[in-house]
Amino acid sequence: MAGINRALSLNESRAKINFSTSVKCVFISHQKDDTIYCKKIANYLMDAGIDVYFDEFDSDLKFYRQTNNPNGIVLSIKKGINMSSHMLCVISPKTLYSKWVPWEIGYGHESTIQGAITIKGIKDEDLPDYLKTTNMLRGTKSLNNFIQNLTGQSEYILENYNLIKKHTTLSHPLDDVLDWNQ
């Protein structure tokens, strides 16, 4: 069964059920300009059967951003993190200058299992120190390992049920986002 985006209001009742039954959920922390890449990562996780909290469809958050309401933005972000068991910070050159991503990581530090994933071209020396202390995913291969650990399923099972694609697959859905061999 595919995972859901808990930020989508249509999924609200299922999100509450999944949360109350401890279904794992990954909060996608990202810089707004990277939404196109993050959406692909979120979809890949949902295809693997993992719930995500990806704010693209959080109508409250959109309203608070449009009305320039920082308190409302903070409440929406807290709600998303509190509904999640894990956090995955998507690192791009733009993320390095984000004002909200460090705040999200700090807020979720005690309540979520944290990790970070780098977009193509990010070098180790570009990473901020606060991310060097977390589980670092450097490409498709390590994302697949993260999914295996999260689901408790073997790579063989996940691949045979088409929940993930082997990192060496031609035309992998994340080829334009992540390095494949890491």
Side-chain angles (χ1 to χ4, degrees):
M1 175 183 265
I4 63 168
N5 184 348
R6 293 186 185 180
L8 184 60
S9 59
L10 294 173
N11 291 333
E12 188 173 350
S13 60
R14 184 162 167 218
K16 287 179 181 177
I17 292 168
N18 287 1
F19 177 75
S20 68
T21 58
S22 299
V23 171
K24 292 181 175 66
C25 178
V26 177
F27 180 91
I28 307 292
S29 176
H30 69 287
Q31 209 285 331
K32 184 79 174 138
D33 291 343
D34 295 325
T35 296
I36 191 165
Y37 303 122
C38 298
K39 185 175 184 176
K40 289 181 179 187
I41 293 168
N43 287 337
Y44 191 75
L45 290 168
M46 288 187 295
D47 288 346
I50 298 168
D51 284 4
V52 299
Y53 193 96
F54 179 53
D55 68 4
E56 180 184 24
F57 300 111
D58 186 328
S59 56
D60 291 336
L61 181 59
K62 281 184 182 181
F63 173 77
Y64 294 134
R65 281 186 179 142
Q66 290 170 349
T67 58
N68 196 26
N69 181 341
N71 289 328
I73 293 170
V74 166
L75 288 174
S76 291
I77 293 170
K78 283 181 173 182
K79 179 180 106 182
I81 293 171
N82 291 337
M83 292 180 69
S84 303
S85 57
H86 293 71
M87 180 182 291
L88 193 58
C89 180
V90 179
I91 307 298
S92 76
K94 295 172 185 171
T95 311
L96 302 176
Y97 303 102
S98 172
K99 295 177 184 176
W100 285 106
V101 168
W103 186 90
E104 292 171 352
I105 292 169
Y107 179 79
H109 182 73
E110 296 297 322
S111 61
T112 61
I113 299 169
Q114 297 187 335
I117 188 165
T118 56
I119 300 296
K120 281 184 169 188
I122 298 292
K123 299 177 190 132
D124 286 339
E125 58 267 15
D126 294 336
L127 297 171
D129 288 340
Y130 68 89
L131 288 174
K132 292 178 181 177
T133 63
T134 186
N135 180 25
M136 187 62 60
L137 309 178
R138 299 291 285 167
T140 308
K141 183 177 181 181
S142 57
L143 178 59
N144 283 348
N145 288 334
F146 173 78
I147 291 169
Q148 288 174 56
N149 291 333
L150 204 57
T151 63
Q153 299 294 323
S154 70
E155 181 179 29
Y156 176 80
I157 296 289
L158 291 168
E159 287 174 11
N160 281 333
Y161 283 96
N162 292 316
L163 299 174
I164 63 170
K165 303 282 186 216
K166 188 157 187 73
H167 68 282
T168 56
T169 301
L170 292 177
S171 300
H172 192 283
L174 297 175
D175 276 348
D176 62 332
V177 179
L178 305 175
D179 292 316
W180 65 273
N181 61 343
Q182 296 182 32

